[in-house]
Amino acid sequence: MKVEEMVCIMCPLGCRLTVRQEDNGEIIVSGNRCPRGIEYGKQEIIEPLRILTSSVLVLNGELPLVSVKTNKPIPRRLVMKIMDILKNTRVEAPVRVGDVIIKDILNTGADIVATRNVERAERSDAA
């Protein structure tokens, strides 16, 4: 039997959950005050998921970085691998909110999308 304690983040109540996975695979969640806590506790035991936020380098932009996030939750176990990919990713300005920077990252079904606009930097040609 596996037992974990956690705080549910699905609503403002912040319930303290106890999640037990029995030897037969059954998952029992207690401490929740709403149904979302049951689903959250089960998901955390089976495969924890996270929305990942980060930034990516922008080439020729008025800003050096653009903020990005996954458009849906990804397995927590892949967060560091995805961060390594983002660390080496470059995007050319202009960038618009919602632009897909990387499609289906690591075959998760999640896209990395821009969460702000970055305009192209104006060139100043000195004569």
Coordinates of all heavy atoms in Angstrom, one line a residue, residues 50-58 63-72 74 79 82-92 94-103 105 110-118:
R50 N 1.7 19.0 -14.7 CA 1.9 20.4 -14.4 C 1.8 21.2 -15.6 O 2.2 20.8 -16.7 CB 3.3 20.6 -13.8 CG 3.6 19.8 -12.5 CD 2.8 20.4 -11.4 NE 3.1 19.8 -10.1 CZ 2.4 18.8 -9.6 NH1 1.4 18.2 -10.3 NH2 2.7 18.3 -8.4
I51 N 1.4 22.5 -15.5 CA 1.5 23.5 -16.5 C 3.0 24.0 -16.3 O 3.3 24.4 -15.2 CB 0.5 24.6 -16.4 CG1 -0.9 24.1 -16.7 CG2 0.8 25.8 -17.3 CD1 -1.2 23.8 -18.1
L52 N 3.7 24.1 -17.4 CA 5.1 24.6 -17.3 C 5.2 26.0 -17.9 O 4.6 26.3 -18.9 CB 6.0 23.7 -18.1 CG 7.5 24.1 -18.2 CD1 8.1 24.0 -16.8 CD2 8.2 23.2 -19.2
T53 N 5.8 26.9 -17.1 CA 6.0 28.3 -17.6 C 7.5 28.5 -17.6 O 8.2 28.0 -16.7 CB 5.3 29.3 -16.7 OG1 5.9 29.2 -15.4 CG2 3.8 29.1 -16.6
S54 N 7.9 29.2 -18.6 CA 9.4 29.5 -18.8 C 9.5 30.7 -19.7 O 8.6 31.5 -19.9 CB 10.1 28.3 -19.3 OG 11.5 28.5 -19.3
S55 N 10.7 30.8 -20.3 CA 11.0 31.9 -21.3 C 11.9 31.3 -22.3 O 12.6 30.3 -22.1 CB 11.6 33.1 -20.6 OG 12.7 32.8 -19.9
V56 N 11.9 31.9 -23.5 CA 12.7 31.5 -24.7 C 13.4 32.8 -25.2 O 12.8 33.9 -25.2 CB 11.8 30.9 -25.7 CG1 12.5 30.7 -27.0 CG2 11.2 29.6 -25.2
L57 N 14.6 32.6 -25.7 CA 15.4 33.7 -26.3 C 14.7 34.2 -27.6 O 14.3 33.3 -28.4 CB 16.8 33.2 -26.5 CG 17.7 33.2 -25.3 CD1 19.0 32.5 -25.7 CD2 17.9 34.5 -24.7
V58 N 14.7 35.5 -27.7 CA 14.2 36.1 -28.9 C 15.3 36.7 -29.7 O 16.1 37.5 -29.2 CB 13.1 37.2 -28.6 CG1 12.6 37.8 -29.9 CG2 12.0 36.5 -27.8
L63 N 12.8 42.9 -26.9 CA 13.1 42.3 -25.6 C 13.9 41.0 -25.9 O 13.8 40.4 -26.9 CB 11.8 41.9 -24.9 CG 10.9 43.0 -24.5 CD1 9.6 42.5 -24.0 CD2 11.5 43.9 -23.4
P64 N 14.8 40.6 -25.0 CA 15.7 39.5 -25.2 C 14.9 38.1 -25.0 O 15.4 37.1 -25.5 CB 16.8 39.6 -24.2 CG 16.2 40.5 -23.1 CD 15.2 41.4 -23.7
L65 N 13.8 38.1 -24.3 CA 13.1 36.9 -23.9 C 11.6 37.1 -24.2 O 11.1 38.2 -24.1 CB 13.3 36.5 -22.5 CG 14.7 36.2 -22.0 CD1 14.8 36.1 -20.5 CD2 15.3 35.0 -22.6
V66 N 10.9 36.0 -24.4 CA 9.5 35.9 -24.5 C 9.0 34.9 -23.5 O 9.6 33.8 -23.4 CB 8.9 35.6 -25.9 CG1 9.3 34.3 -26.4 CG2 7.4 35.8 -25.9
S67 N 8.0 35.2 -22.7 CA 7.5 34.2 -21.8 C 6.6 33.2 -22.5 O 6.0 33.5 -23.5 CB 6.6 34.9 -20.7 OG 5.6 35.7 -21.3
V68 N 6.7 31.9 -22.1 CA 6.0 30.8 -22.7 C 5.4 29.9 -21.7 O 5.8 30.0 -20.5 CB 7.0 30.0 -23.7 CG1 7.5 30.8 -24.8 CG2 8.1 29.4 -22.9
K69 N 4.5 29.1 -22.1 CA 3.9 28.1 -21.2 C 3.4 26.9 -22.1 O 3.2 27.1 -23.3 CB 2.8 28.6 -20.4 CG 1.5 29.0 -21.1 CD 0.4 29.5 -20.2 CE -0.9 29.5 -20.9 NZ -1.6 28.2 -20.8
T70 N 3.1 25.8 -21.4 CA 2.5 24.7 -22.1 C 1.0 25.0 -22.2 O 0.4 25.6 -21.3 CB 2.7 23.4 -21.4 OG1 2.2 23.5 -20.0 CG2 4.1 22.9 -21.4
N71 N 0.3 24.6 -23.3 CA -1.1 24.9 -23.4 C -2.0 23.9 -22.7 O -3.2 24.0 -22.8 CB -1.5 25.1 -24.9 CG -1.3 23.8 -25.7 OD1 -0.7 22.9 -25.3 ND2 -1.9 23.8 -26.9
K72 N -1.4 22.9 -22.2 CA -2.1 21.9 -21.3 C -1.1 21.3 -20.4 O 0.1 21.4 -20.6 CB -2.8 20.9 -22.2 CG -2.0 20.0 -23.1 CD -2.9 19.3 -24.0 CE -2.6 17.8 -23.9 NZ -3.4 17.0 -24.8
I74 N 1.5 18.8 -18.6 CA 2.4 17.8 -19.0 C 2.8 16.9 -17.8 O 2.7 17.4 -16.7 CB 3.7 18.4 -19.6 CG1 4.3 19.4 -18.6 CG2 3.3 19.1 -20.9 CD1 5.7 19.8 -19.0
V79 N 9.4 17.6 -17.0 CA 9.7 19.0 -16.8 C 11.1 19.4 -17.1 O 11.4 20.3 -17.8 CB 9.2 19.5 -15.4 CG1 9.8 20.9 -15.1 CG2 7.7 19.5 -15.3
I82 N 12.1 19.1 -20.8 CA 11.5 20.2 -21.6 C 12.2 21.5 -21.3 O 12.5 22.3 -22.2 CB 10.0 20.3 -21.3 CG1 9.3 19.1 -21.9 CG2 9.4 21.6 -21.9 CD1 7.8 19.0 -21.5
M83 N 12.6 21.7 -20.1 CA 13.4 22.9 -19.7 C 14.7 22.9 -20.5 O 15.2 24.0 -21.0 CB 13.6 23.0 -18.2 CG 12.4 23.3 -17.4 SD 11.6 24.9 -17.9 CE 12.8 26.1 -17.2
D84 N 15.4 21.8 -20.6 CA 16.6 21.7 -21.4 C 16.3 22.1 -22.9 O 17.2 22.8 -23.5 CB 17.2 20.3 -21.4 CG 17.9 20.0 -20.0 OD1 18.2 21.0 -19.3 OD2 18.1 18.8 -19.7
I85 N 15.2 21.6 -23.4 CA 14.9 22.0 -24.8 C 14.7 23.5 -24.9 O 15.2 24.1 -25.9 CB 13.6 21.2 -25.3 CG1 14.0 19.7 -25.4 CG2 13.1 21.8 -26.6 CD1 12.8 18.8 -25.6
L86 N 13.9 24.1 -24.0 CA 13.6 25.5 -24.0 C 14.9 26.3 -23.9 O 15.0 27.4 -24.5 CB 12.6 25.9 -23.0 CG 11.2 25.3 -23.1 CD1 10.3 25.7 -22.0 CD2 10.6 25.6 -24.5
K87 N 15.8 25.9 -23.1 CA 17.1 26.6 -22.9 C 17.8 26.8 -24.2 O 18.5 27.8 -24.4 CB 17.9 25.8 -21.9 CG 19.3 26.4 -21.6 CD 20.0 25.7 -20.5 CE 20.3 24.2 -20.9 NZ 21.0 23.5 -19.9
N88 N 17.6 25.9 -25.1 CA 18.3 25.9 -26.4 C 17.5 26.4 -27.6 O 17.9 26.3 -28.7 CB 18.9 24.5 -26.7 CG 20.0 24.1 -25.7 OD1 20.9 24.9 -25.5 ND2 19.8 23.0 -25.1
T89 N 16.3 26.9 -27.3 CA 15.3 27.3 -28.3 C 15.5 28.8 -28.5 O 15.6 29.6 -27.6 CB 13.9 27.0 -27.8 OG1 13.8 25.6 -27.7 CG2 12.9 27.5 -28.9
R90 N 15.5 29.2 -29.8 CA 15.5 30.6 -30.2 C 14.3 30.8 -31.1 O 14.0 30.0 -31.9 CB 16.8 30.9 -31.0 CG 18.1 30.4 -30.4 CD 18.5 31.3 -29.2 NE 19.8 30.9 -28.6 CZ 20.0 30.0 -27.7 NH1 19.0 29.4 -27.2 NH2 21.2 29.8 -27.2
V91 N 13.7 32.0 -31.0 CA 12.6 32.4 -31.9 C 12.9 33.7 -32.4 O 13.5 34.6 -31.8 CB 11.3 32.3 -31.1 CG1 11.2 33.3 -30.0 CG2 10.1 32.5 -32.0
E92 N 12.5 33.9 -33.7 CA 12.7 35.2 -34.4 C 11.5 36.2 -34.1 O 10.4 35.8 -34.2 CB 12.8 34.9 -35.9 CG 13.2 36.1 -36.7 CD 14.6 36.6 -36.6 OE1 15.5 35.7 -36.4 OE2 14.8 37.8 -36.8
P94 N 9.0 39.2 -35.0 CA 8.0 39.4 -33.9 C 7.4 38.1 -33.4 O 7.2 37.2 -34.2 CB 7.0 40.3 -34.5 CG 7.0 40.0 -36.0 CD 8.4 39.6 -36.3
V95 N 7.0 38.2 -32.2 CA 6.3 37.0 -31.5 C 5.0 37.6 -31.0 O 4.9 38.7 -30.5 CB 7.1 36.5 -30.4 CG1 6.4 35.3 -29.7 CG2 8.5 36.1 -30.8
R96 N 3.9 36.8 -31.2 CA 2.6 37.2 -30.8 C 2.1 36.2 -29.7 O 2.4 35.0 -29.8 CB 1.6 37.2 -31.9 CG 2.0 38.2 -33.0 CD 1.6 39.6 -32.6 NE 2.1 40.6 -33.6 CZ 3.1 41.5 -33.3 NH1 3.7 41.5 -32.2 NH2 3.5 42.3 -34.2
V97 N 1.2 36.8 -28.8 CA 0.6 35.9 -27.8 C -0.1 34.8 -28.5 O -0.8 35.0 -29.5 CB -0.4 36.7 -26.9 CG1 -1.2 35.8 -26.1 CG2 0.3 37.7 -26.1
G98 N 0.1 33.6 -28.1 CA -0.6 32.4 -28.7 C 0.2 31.7 -29.8 O -0.1 30.6 -30.2
D99 N 1.3 32.4 -30.3 CA 2.2 31.7 -31.3 C 2.7 30.4 -30.7 O 3.1 30.3 -29.6 CB 3.4 32.6 -31.6 CG 3.0 33.8 -32.6 OD1 1.9 33.9 -33.0 OD2 4.0 34.5 -32.9
V100 N 2.6 29.4 -31.5 CA 3.2 28.1 -31.1 C 4.7 28.1 -31.4 O 5.1 28.3 -32.5 CB 2.5 26.9 -31.9 CG1 3.2 25.6 -31.5 CG2 1.0 26.9 -31.6
I101 N 5.4 28.0 -30.3 CA 6.9 28.0 -30.4 C 7.4 26.6 -30.6 O 8.3 26.4 -31.5 CB 7.5 28.6 -29.0 CG1 6.9 29.9 -28.7 CG2 9.0 28.6 -29.1 CD1 7.1 31.0 -29.7
I102 N 6.9 25.6 -30.0 CA 7.2 24.2 -30.2 C 5.9 23.4 -30.2 O 5.2 23.5 -29.2 CB 8.2 23.6 -29.2 CG1 9.5 24.4 -29.1 CG2 8.5 22.2 -29.5 CD1 10.4 24.0 -28.0
K103 N 5.6 22.7 -31.2 CA 4.4 21.9 -31.3 C 4.6 20.5 -30.7 O 5.7 19.9 -30.9 CB 3.9 21.8 -32.8 CG 2.6 21.1 -32.9 CD 1.9 21.5 -34.2 CE 0.5 20.9 -34.3 NZ -0.4 21.4 -33.3
I105 N 5.4 19.1 -27.8 CA 6.7 18.9 -27.2 C 6.9 17.5 -26.6 O 6.0 17.0 -25.8 CB 7.1 20.0 -26.2 CG1 8.5 19.9 -25.7 CG2 6.1 20.0 -25.0 CD1 9.3 21.1 -25.7
A110 N 1.1 18.5 -25.9 CA 1.1 19.9 -25.4 C 2.0 20.7 -26.3 O 3.1 20.3 -26.7 CB 1.5 20.0 -24.0
D111 N 1.5 22.0 -26.6 CA 2.4 22.9 -27.4 C 3.0 23.9 -26.4 O 2.4 24.2 -25.4 CB 1.5 23.7 -28.4 CG 0.9 22.8 -29.5 OD1 1.4 21.7 -29.7 OD2 -0.1 23.2 -30.0
I112 N 4.2 24.4 -26.8 CA 4.7 25.5 -26.0 C 4.3 26.8 -26.8 O 4.5 26.9 -28.0 CB 6.3 25.5 -26.0 CG1 6.8 24.2 -25.4 CG2 6.9 26.7 -25.3 CD1 6.5 24.0 -23.9
V113 N 3.6 27.7 -26.1 CA 3.0 28.9 -26.7 C 3.5 30.1 -26.0 O 3.8 30.2 -24.8 CB 1.5 28.9 -26.7 CG1 0.9 27.7 -27.5 CG2 0.9 28.8 -25.3
A114 N 3.6 31.2 -26.8 CA 4.0 32.5 -26.3 C 2.9 33.1 -25.5 O 1.7 33.0 -25.8 CB 4.4 33.4 -27.4
T115 N 3.3 33.8 -24.4 CA 2.3 34.4 -23.5 C 2.4 35.9 -23.5 O 1.7 36.6 -22.7 CB 2.4 33.9 -22.1 OG1 3.7 34.1 -21.5 CG2 2.1 32.4 -22.0
R116 N 3.2 36.5 -24.4 CA 3.3 37.9 -24.5 C 3.8 38.3 -25.9 O 4.3 37.4 -26.6 CB 4.2 38.6 -23.5 CG 5.6 38.4 -23.7 CD 6.5 39.3 -22.8 NE 6.2 40.7 -23.2 CZ 6.5 41.7 -22.5 NH1 7.0 41.6 -21.3 NH2 6.2 43.0 -22.9
N117 N 3.6 39.5 -26.3 CA 4.1 40.0 -27.6 C 5.5 40.5 -27.5 O 5.8 41.2 -26.5 CB 3.2 41.1 -28.1 CG 1.8 40.6 -28.5 OD1 1.6 39.5 -28.8 ND2 0.8 41.5 -28.3
V118 N 6.3 40.2 -28.4 CA 7.6 40.9 -28.5 C 7.8 41.4 -30.0 O 7.8 40.6 -30.9 CB 8.8 39.9 -28.2 CG1 10.1 40.6 -28.4 CG2 8.6 39.3 -26.8

